[in-house]
Amino acid sequence: MISINNLCVEFSTRPLFTDVSFVVNDRERIALMGKNGAGKSTMLKIIAGLQEPTQGCVSIPKETTVAYLPQVMNLSDGCTVLEECRKAYDHPRIKNDEPWRKEADMDRILRGMGFEGNDFDRPTSELSGGWRMRIELAKLLLQRPDVLLLDEPT
């Protein structure tokens, strides 16, 4: 369960949002909707621990892992699709998995994202932004997070 209590964010003394409180229970799926500039991305970054609120707090149990897919990605252009996905295994929670399981998981998740076997060795530099976003999402799924935050998924 994630608890957001009395969250407030101000930029140069101008409030973006104030006194926001809510709870996200286990297995719930939530969508944040609003106009551009309403603070949706800011809220997700705060929940992900990437940004601090002006006031208020976010409570997430210690054992809960949170993954965040931003609107703008930072993929290496010198990697293939598989090499980029293997970077997901730098995450401590999955380092001890057997190598065969990692390869099987990458194959299953990439194929589920629409990649074909012959795409796995393609350089990421050849791919469009949409396909690169799929690689980033695949990396997050490989980490098996408890909470997955998607900022404007397409």
Side-chain angles (χ1 to χ4, degrees):
M1 178 172 73
I2 297 174
S3 177
I4 285 73
N5 296 301
N6 301 317
L7 224 53
C8 174
V9 172
E10 296 176 349
F11 291 110
S12 303
T13 70
R14 184 172 179 233
L16 181 60
F17 51 79
T18 58
D19 297 324
V20 175
S21 297
F22 61 93
V23 172
V24 180
N25 293 303
D26 292 344
R27 307 200 55 79
E28 281 190 324
R29 289 165 177 82
I30 307 274
L32 293 177
M33 299 178 359
K35 296 178 185 177
N36 287 344
K40 300 178 299 293
S41 294
T42 300
M43 177 68 70
L44 292 177
K45 288 175 189 172
I46 290 170
I47 295 170
L50 301 172
Q51 186 172 329
E52 291 293 321
T54 305
Q55 70 183 63
C57 66
V58 175
S59 299
I60 301 175
K62 266 188 179 174
E63 67 277 0
T64 300
T65 57
V66 178
Y68 170 68
L69 183 67
Q71 290 181 27
V72 179
M73 305 155 306
N74 189 14
L75 278 181
S76 303
D77 277 338
C79 294
T80 65
V81 171
L82 273 181
E83 289 168 340
E84 189 66 35
C85 281
R86 284 190 185 106
K87 292 178 182 180
Y89 294 113
D90 293 339
H91 191 275
R93 183 175 183 172
I94 55 177
K95 276 191 176 191
N96 295 328
D97 278 355
E98 292 115 9
W100 64 267
R101 181 181 175 145
K102 292 177 183 179
E103 295 298 318
D105 284 350
M106 283 191 299
D107 185 87
R108 179 179 48 81
I109 289 173
L110 285 171
R111 288 181 190 277
M113 295 282 180
F115 288 94
E116 296 181 8
N118 59 349
D119 294 323
F120 293 2
D121 292 322
R122 285 182 64 190
T124 59
S125 59
E126 293 180 1
L127 303 175
S128 69
W131 286 101
R132 288 171 167 239
M133 182 70 76
R134 291 179 193 204
I135 294 170
E136 284 301 298
L137 180 55
K139 287 167 52 178
L140 294 179
L141 294 173
L142 288 165
Q143 293 175 16
R144 296 184 226 141
D146 298 310
V147 177
L148 182 58
L149 303 173
L150 305 173
D151 196 349
E152 293 195 32
T154 55

